[in-house]
Structures are given as structure tokens and as C-alpha cells.
Amino acid sequence: MKKTCRGAGLLVGLASVIALPLVGAAPASAVEADTWTLHGGNQYCVKPDRGWPRTYAVGAVEGTWSSTITAGLRKLPAGSTSDEVSTLAPGTNVRDPEDGGLTINIWLPLSIAPAPAGTYTAEFWADDGKVTQTDVVTIKVSEEC
């Protein structure tokens, strides 16, 4: 009789080990999913006849990512350039629990060309190979800077 009880106990234990992960656990892909957000929010004000020949656009990727993220600028006003991209190795960037600060981890050289007065909208982008996120870059060209 002892063998039967012991055998039944082993079967119940084995069934529990197999069934529990299926019942209440989230799928592995959901637990390990990348969750990151691009923060840019760059704003510039430049004189029409001067532009801003040497500056940077800065941003931050917040969260966790398992693939390399590439970031850059596009849709700049005519004559303006940002010839480089920034790459972030897989990693994590989270807000400081004490002050809420977030480490800037993207620096992109930017040259804003002289342009007619107006407000121009460019795009800050980041891509991990699966998802592309964007943020607005506002460039105001005005004598009132």
C-alpha cells in the first residue's frame, strides 16, 4: 500500500510541475518583451541669416531593450544636416527614484542652416529593428530669438 500512495504522490507532484506554469504564468515572450520609449523634445530658435551651424540634438531612450537601438534625425529644413546616427547597445535606462531624472543617452551632431522665417518640424527617430519610435524636433527661425 505504501508503494501505491508514494506513486500517486509522485504523479500528483509531477502533474503540478507541468500544469502550474501553464495556468497562471505569463508567456515567456511577455515577460521578456522590450519596453522602451524615446524622449526627444528638442526645440531650437535661430536667426534667419545665421542658423546654428554647430549644435546637438539630445534624447533619451527609457526602459529596457535587448537589441541595438539606432537613433537619428530626419526631415530637417533644407540645407540643415545631421550626418551621424547614435547606437545604443542592449541595456536599461531608468529614472532616478530620488529626483526623477533620466540619463541622456543619445547625442546627435546637428547643423541648422539659415532659412526663411517660420517654424519647421523635423523628426527624432529610434529603431530597434522591430519598432521605430519618433519625437518632434521644433526649429523656429525668427529675428525674435
Side-chain angles (χ1 to χ4, degrees):
M1 188 71 160
K2 282 187 177 183
K3 283 187 178 182
T4 307
C5 288
R6 188 174 293 155
L10 285 174
L11 283 176
V12 169
L14 182 59
S16 297
V17 168
I18 293 170
L20 282 177
L22 299 175
V23 173
S29 60
V31 172
E32 299 168 7
D34 291 349
T35 53
W36 59 272
T37 304
L38 172 65
H39 300 282
N42 290 267
Q43 297 181 20
Y44 304 89
C45 188
V46 301
K47 302 278 185 184
D49 59 337
R50 285 190 254 156
W52 198 345
R54 287 184 210 103
T55 188
Y56 284 88
V58 297
V61 171
E62 177 182 12
T64 301
W65 56 98
S66 60
S67 301
T68 297
I69 293 178
T70 304
L73 296 170
R74 60 186 173 208
K75 301 181 182 175
L76 294 167
S80 299
T81 59
S82 180
D83 297 333
E84 295 182 30
V85 294
S86 180
T87 56
L88 298 173
T92 300
N93 188 18
V94 296
R95 293 189 180 275
D96 183 303
E98 291 182 22
D99 65 10
L102 185 63
T103 300
I104 292 173
N105 53 11
I106 301 171
W107 294 80
L108 296 164
L110 172 61
S111 176
I112 302 171
T119 301
Y120 300 84
T121 303
E123 199 170 73
F124 203 122
W125 61 270
D127 186 303
D128 68 359
K130 295 177 240 157
V131 174
T132 300
Q133 294 185 19
T134 61
D135 201 349
V136 172
V137 176
T138 304
I139 301 170
K140 180 181 176 185
V141 180
S142 172
E143 289 294 338
E144 305 301 318
C145 291

